[in-house]
Amino acid sequence: MQQKSLELIKQSLKSRPVVKWKYAKQPPNRASVLLPLCTVNEKPSILFTIRSGNLRSHTGEVSFPGGKQDKEDVDDIDTALRETFEEIAIHRDKIQVLGVDSSVPNYNMTTQVTPVIGYLGEIDPRKIVYSKDEVQSVFTLEIDYLLNPKHYNWDDFRRTNLRVPSWPIADNRIWGLTAYVLWKFLQESILPMKASLLPITTSHNFPMESVLQQPQPLDKHTMQIQHICNIDYEADLDDEISIHKGDVLLIQKELSNGYLYCHNQTTNQSGYIPITKQQLYEAAGVKDDKCNYL
C-alpha cells in the first residue's frame, strides 16, 4: 500500500467517535486484537487466523491475532503486538501501527476488545510460522474481495439493531466480533481513503456499496439539487448509475459517508454514485450556492 494511503487511514482513526457499550462487568476486562493490513503480490489485503482446536473457546473460528491484556502490557497496542508475535511470529518491529479503532465488547459483555490497526507490508502467508497451540492456519483476503457484495451476507450483530456482513470462506466464515471489527474498519477507513484518492475527472472502479449497508440518508441530508455534471463515471455495481459530462443530475440524498443518491435526468436512471457533492462541484468549478436547489 502506498504511504499516502496509510497516512489517510491514520487520520481516519484519529477522528473515530467513542462508541459506548453497556458492559456486564465494571470495569470490564481488557483485550486487544491486531487487524493486520498487508499486501500479497502487491494487492492490498488483510491477514486472518483460524483458531486452534486446542483453545478453550471459539475453536476453529476465523479471527484476528489477539488476546487478553497482561499485567506487563503497557497499553492496548502493546497487548496486540505481543499476542501477534506469540500467535504468528511477526515481531512488533515489522508492524507499522496506524492507530486504534473503537472498542467493542466480547459476546458476554464482560471484556472490552480494542482493535489495533497495523500494516505488515508485503507478505507471503505460506511462509508465516504460526503457533500450532493457538492457530490452526492463516490466510489472506484482498480488500477488494471483502468489499464486493457478492462475497458476503447480512447478519444481525448480537442483541443489537446493528447488521454486519458475514463472509463465507470455504467451510468456515468470518462473523461475529471479527466481522464487526473488519466491517467497521472497511466502512470508516478504507472507503473514505479510496474516495479521497479518486481522480474526480476520470472514470474509476471500486466497490462503494459497503457503506450503503442500509441506504437510508440522514434526514438533514435529504435534498433536491439540480446539477450539470462535469465528471465521467461508469457504473460498476447494480445499484450504481453511470454519469457523464453534460448530464443533468437531480441530487436527492446525501448519505452519512458523503456519497450521493441521484436521478440522472439525461438517461432517466436513478442510483448511487461513489462521489461526494464537493467533488461534483469542484469538477464543475462551481460553489454550493450556485447550484439549482429545487
Side-chain angles (χ1 to χ4, degrees):
M1 297 180 73
Q2 296 180 354
Q3 191 59 38
K4 183 176 181 181
S5 299
L6 298 177
E7 289 299 325
L8 289 169
I9 292 172
K10 277 186 182 180
Q11 292 302 316
S12 74
L13 291 168
K14 288 179 180 178
S15 60
R16 283 288 197 272
V18 176
V19 179
K20 294 184 178 181
W21 298 86
K22 187 175 181 180
Y23 288 89
K25 176 182 178 181
Q26 292 295 336
N29 301 322
R30 297 189 69 89
S32 298
V33 296
L34 180 77
L35 193 157
L37 288 170
C38 59
T39 57
V40 179
N41 298 322
E42 300 184 352
K43 298 289 188 181
S45 304
I46 294 176
L47 175 69
F48 300 88
T49 67
I50 297 181
R51 290 170 62 86
S52 168
N54 299 324
L55 299 173
R56 290 182 297 177
S57 62
H58 304 292
T59 59
E61 292 186 7
V62 178
S63 66
F64 294 125
K68 293 181 179 179
Q69 191 171 86
D70 283 353
K71 292 186 297 183
E72 295 79 12
D73 293 339
V74 176
D75 53 21
D76 294 320
I77 294 175
D78 200 32
T79 301
L81 296 181
R82 174 184 54 77
E83 287 282 349
T84 298
F85 181 71
E86 292 176 2
E87 293 183 22
I88 57 176
I90 297 178
H91 195 273
R92 64 181 63 214
D93 292 345
K94 302 294 184 181
I95 303 172
Q96 181 182 350
V97 175
L98 303 178
V100 298
D101 211 333
S102 305
S103 298
V104 59
N106 68 337
Y107 69 99
N108 62 6
M109 310 296 286
T110 60
T111 301
Q112 177 178 310
V113 182
T114 299
V116 176
I117 313 302
Y119 179 57
L120 311 182
E122 177 73 18
I123 67 167
D124 183 345
R126 298 169 299 179
K127 295 182 179 179
I128 292 178
V129 181
Y130 52 84
S131 167
K132 294 184 179 179
D133 290 335
E134 299 190 59
V135 177
Q136 177 180 312
S137 61
V138 300
F139 66 95
T140 59
L141 291 173
E142 291 182 17
I143 287 175
D144 283 345
Y145 176 95
L146 293 165
L147 290 172
N148 191 324
K150 296 178 181 178
H151 298 146
Y152 58 75
N153 306 306
W154 288 104
D155 289 338
D156 293 327
F157 183 62
R158 303 193 180 147
R159 295 176 297 276
T160 70
N161 60 358
L162 297 175
R163 288 178 61 78
V164 298
S166 64
W167 289 261
I169 307 295
D171 57 351
N172 210 320
R173 63 176 177 144
I174 303 170
W175 69 290
L177 186 146
T178 300
Y180 174 86
V181 169
L182 173 62
W183 184 246
K184 190 171 183 298
F185 173 71
L186 292 174
Q187 178 175 263
E188 297 181 1
S189 287
I190 293 297
L191 283 166
M193 178 270 291
K194 282 177 172 282
S196 66
L197 296 176
L198 175 67
I200 62 175
T201 57
T202 61
S203 297
H204 57 85
N205 179 21
F206 70 85
M208 52 72 68
E209 76 297 333
S210 60
V211 182
L212 311 176
Q213 161 181 344
Q214 294 176 331
Q216 298 297 322
L218 302 179
D219 289 343
K220 65 180 180 180
H221 292 312
T222 301
M223 59 187 72
Q224 293 282 305
I225 305 173
Q226 197 171 53
H227 175 79
I228 298 177
C229 183
N230 198 36
I231 292 180
D232 291 323
Y233 172 69
E234 295 297 332
D236 186 49
L237 300 165
D238 291 342
D239 55 0
E240 293 181 355
I241 59 170
S242 298
I243 58 175
H244 301 96
K245 294 177 182 177
D247 287 355
V248 179
L249 301 182
L250 183 63
I251 303 173
Q252 297 173 316
K253 302 174 185 177
E254 183 177 17
L255 301 205
S256 55
N257 68 333
Y259 295 154
L260 301 173
Y261 184 90
C262 302
H263 177 70
N264 189 331
Q265 295 179 309
T266 303
T267 62
N268 197 30
Q269 292 180 319
S270 296
Y272 298 100
I273 55 174
I275 298 169
T276 67
K277 188 154 58 94
Q278 181 180 356
Q279 287 174 318
L280 282 179
Y281 296 164
E282 288 177 352
V286 299
K287 294 183 179 180
D288 192 342
D289 58 6
K290 299 298 182 183
C291 289
N292 185 13
Y293 285 74
L294 303 180

